[in-house]
Amino acid sequence: MDGNRLKMTRQSLHFPIEEIAPIVGEVDVMTWHGWESGSQPVPKYVEQRLFEMTEWRRETIKTYVISFKEGESKGYEIFPILWYDNFEDFSREEGIPGTYFHVWQSVIAEVMMVFPEKLALVPFDREDYLKFLNGRTPTAETRNEWFHRAADHVLP
């Protein structure tokens, strides 16, 4: 991977250098700049981590597109999609590494470009979610239950 491809990949994943350097490269910003400028070679482990992130992004987008097309064939017109506007809330999501926050945002941006009239964003509301839990332990299932309840308020 050359510096231009590194920069393009980073930008497509919606990562600022200040965040991707320590997360993916485990380096400082200056080292990452050196990789992008081509003055230093991009290590294989960085290339591998970015490949994993881009594959996760591609598969997640594919899953959304398939589910939207299946929904359209059943007559659904609007599809709710969960939106996290901060790392803290996203990092508590079950089954997705917190380091994928920007990757998740890039997925939502891409899906919204493909289906702009079909999506209803459901912003994650931590306070409402905690009320919904009512002392229960947060799990992927409880977040999904909350999401469907919250989506009912967003859908027309």
Side-chain angles (χ1 to χ4, degrees):
M1 174 179 283
D2 67 15
N4 288 328
R5 175 140 332 294
L6 178 68
K7 183 176 183 177
M8 180 190 70
T9 303
R10 173 183 60 78
Q11 290 174 338
S12 74
L13 295 174
H14 289 208
F15 267 106
I17 290 178
E18 296 77 19
E19 291 183 35
I20 201 167
I23 291 172
V24 174
E26 300 174 8
V27 296
D28 59 29
V29 171
M30 293 305 294
T31 301
W32 193 278
H33 276 293
W35 296 340
E36 284 192 4
S37 71
S39 65
Q40 299 174 33
V42 178
K44 289 290 182 197
Y45 77 92
V46 170
E47 189 173 342
Q48 179 60 36
R49 288 177 183 172
L50 289 174
F51 174 78
E52 290 166 6
M53 288 178 152
T54 56
E55 280 299 297
W56 182 86
R57 179 182 187 274
R58 189 181 64 75
E59 287 300 315
T60 303
I61 290 169
K62 182 178 164 184
T63 299
Y64 274 120
V65 170
I66 289 169
S67 67
F68 293 160
K69 288 185 178 182
E70 287 173 355
E72 284 178 334
S73 71
K74 294 177 182 176
Y76 298 125
E77 295 182 21
I78 303 290
F79 302 92
I81 193 163
L82 188 56
W83 172 254
Y84 296 95
D85 65 356
N86 66 66
F87 173 80
E88 181 182 2
D89 288 336
F90 179 82
S91 66
R92 292 186 170 112
E93 179 66 48
E94 299 294 322
I96 304 173
T99 54
Y100 278 46
F101 174 62
H102 290 291
V103 183
W104 173 259
Q105 288 183 318
S106 77
V107 166
I108 302 305
E110 183 74 22
V111 171
M112 289 193 73
M113 288 174 54
V114 175
F115 297 95
E117 305 86 26
K118 299 277 185 187
L119 295 181
L121 287 180
V122 178
F124 181 74
D125 182 332
R126 180 159 192 66
E127 186 176 310
D128 187 54
Y129 180 58
L130 292 174
K131 284 181 193 174
F132 171 78
L133 286 174
N134 194 25
R136 295 182 291 166
T137 302
T139 64
E141 290 78 26
T142 59
R143 190 163 295 208
N144 198 35
E145 287 175 37
W146 173 86
F147 167 70
H148 286 292
R149 186 180 62 87
D152 288 341
H153 299 291
V154 172
L155 294 174

